[in-house]
Amino acid sequence: MTSQPITEQVVYQRPEALSDVNTHYCPGCTHGVAHRLVAEVIDEMNLRDKAIGVAPVGCSVFMYNYMDFDFVVAAHGRAPAMATGIKRCLPDRFVLTYQGDGDLASIGMAEIVHAATRGENISVIFINNSNYGMTGGQMAPTTLPGQKTTSSPLGRDVEQQGFPIRVSEMLAKLDGASYIVRRSLHDPKNIRQAKKAIRTAFETQVRGLGFSMVELLSICPTNWNLTPVDSMTWLEDHMIPYYPVGDYKVHPAVAEMKI
Amino acid sequence: MPPKGRIEVKEIICKGCGLCVDACPQHVIILAEDRINAKGYHPAELSLDGCTGCGICAIICPEAAITVYRQVAPAKENQ
């Protein structure tokens, strides 16, 4: 029994596509999880040499420091437009954008809708944390009804400020979009499902099947004034009922893909 | 016998958010109270035996600070 040497296998290690640096994100912020999932999928698909990322304006503006592949930063909200240009000039490259809700759903709404309806062959990672994180937690288009933020201290009043936008449902109505899904990052099971969705979205682009977007429900512990663990519970209790996790558009050609 | 594992936490990038402490199914991860890292956070560490190397802490870790190892049982001849 004891004569056999004990061997160890590595179950998990940091993906190579992540640079070995400290991030500036707050403790517990799920931007880190989303970055890691993107890096893992890039590694799995061996895309690091030909990937070009487009970073947004927002908390994730410094994403180019954290990912070990090519990156550009677009003007606020214009990441899909910039990605369109890159992809049309360099069709053999893999182009992804990574955008928050202030960037994609507010100032960049026109760009994302038109990129989707043109069926641009790009992949979009959309982080929905229901407020503007970088500027101090103001109300965003995705802020829930009644949610208190620094610019809606009495809670979002839908009579004054309207209803939150469900971006995935909206883009799923467009004929140009191929793969539109929403996932959550609040527990390990959902994180695994999010990774699968990111893989499918990236495969959609690699096989030339058109526009893909993965919306990821995220936490913002600092601006929600909660601990990271309580934020995860808050996300599950409040955000998922309004933003149900699911597949909103899967083109038959994407559904047939074998990964 | 459950498999045995261990984790290594890169203390310099751990931010002590505690998500791994909450997620660990064996409850063997704690935040080290006796020390802080360069950024002033209490880093996560393995406190007890009982880690199975399941990797759930690494899945939830926002900083990708955790490396997970699992012991491999010697191959049985009859299988």
Side-chain angles (χ1 to χ4, degrees):
Chain A
M1 287 287 285
T2 52
S3 63
Q4 298 233 354
I6 295 168
T7 53
E8 272 188 332
Q9 71 180 107
V10 177
V11 179
Y12 183 88
Q13 64 184 358
R14 193 179 168 87
E16 285 180 13
L18 272 188
S19 302
D20 203 9
V21 292
N22 261 313
T23 63
H24 74 285
Y25 300 121
C26 307
C29 178
T30 41
H31 262 309
V33 177
H35 281 25
R36 209 191 66 225
L37 296 182
V38 170
E40 285 175 13
V41 176
I42 293 271
D43 278 355
E44 279 174 16
M45 294 174 68
N46 211 6
L47 287 172
R48 198 144 63 105
D49 291 339
K50 59 176 190 172
I52 300 175
V54 185
V57 173
C59 278
S60 46
V61 66
F62 293 122
M63 193 179 177
Y64 52 80
N65 285 332
Y66 308 142
M67 308 300 269
D68 196 8
F69 52 85
D70 290 342
F71 246 93
V72 288
V73 180
H76 199 357
R78 272 77 218 193
M82 199 165 188
T84 299
I86 296 169
K87 187 71 182 181
R88 288 190 178 192
C89 293
L90 302 166
D92 59 324
R93 301 301 179 98
F94 175 82
V95 183
L96 75 131
T97 77
Y98 184 103
Q99 301 176 264
D101 46 9
D103 189 78
L104 184 143
S106 184
I107 192 168
M109 185 57 98
E111 278 72 18
I112 190 69
V113 171
H114 285 274
T117 199
R118 291 194 305 267
E120 293 295 342
N121 197 20
I122 58 173
S123 301
V124 177
I125 309 292
F126 168 39
I127 304 294
N128 178 353
N129 62 5
S130 82
N131 67 23
Y132 289 136
M134 184 181 77
T135 50
Q138 288 84 3
M139 190 182 73
T142 47
T143 296
L144 300 173
Q147 185 184 343
K148 287 181 182 172
T149 64
T150 49
S151 59
S152 59
L154 302 176
R156 182 176 186 155
D157 177 5
V158 293
E159 289 188 5
Q160 291 279 333
Q161 289 130 2
F163 287 92
I165 299 173
R166 293 184 176 104
V167 177
S168 290
E169 284 90 331
M170 186 178 69
L171 295 184
K173 298 280 184 252
L174 301 173
D175 291 337
S178 294
Y179 185 69
I180 307 282
V181 297
R182 181 184 290 124
R183 296 288 184 265
S184 173
L185 297 176
H186 73 275
D187 63 17
K189 176 190 161 197
N190 282 279
I191 292 172
R192 279 184 204 270
Q193 289 171 344
K195 185 180 170 186
K196 273 189 189 165
I198 293 172
R199 176 78 193 251
T200 310
F202 287 10
E203 293 277 358
T204 303
Q205 180 184 158
V206 168
R207 299 178 195 206
L209 296 175
F211 183 86
S212 52
M213 186 184 88
V214 181
E215 175 176 350
L216 299 171
L217 300 181
S218 256
I219 62 169
C220 190
T222 301
N223 291 315
W224 292 357
N225 298 313
L226 295 169
T227 65
V229 173
D230 290 344
S231 300
M232 295 294 196
T233 316
W234 194 92
L235 190 163
E236 189 177 6
D237 294 344
H238 293 86
M239 284 182 77
I240 290 190
Y242 199 90
Y243 297 112
V245 170
D247 297 357
Y248 290 96
K249 173 131 187 210
V250 182
H251 192 276
V254 176
E256 280 174 16
M257 278 195 316
K258 292 210 168 56
I259 298 169
Chain B
M1 276 272 291
K4 280 192 174 178
R6 68 186 171 89
I7 61 168
E8 272 177 13
V9 180
K10 268 191 187 172
E11 295 201 349
I12 193 138
I13 57 174
C14 176
K15 288 179 183 159
C17 65
L19 289 176
C20 55
V21 176
D22 183 64
C24 177
Q26 305 294 329
H27 310 293
V28 291
I29 304 178
I30 56 165
L31 297 182
E33 289 182 359
D34 57 338
R35 63 182 189 280
I36 55 174
N37 65 11
K39 287 204 158 190
Y41 299 117
H42 293 285
E45 66 176 7
L46 203 58
S47 69
L48 300 165
D49 289 343
C51 175
T52 60
C54 65
I56 285 177
C57 51
I59 288 174
I60 199 126
C61 178
E63 304 301 322
I66 303 177
T67 310
V68 184
Y69 302 91
R70 187 189 300 150
Q71 287 182 7
V72 181
K76 287 178 185 169
E77 289 177 4
N78 294 335
Q79 283 183 348

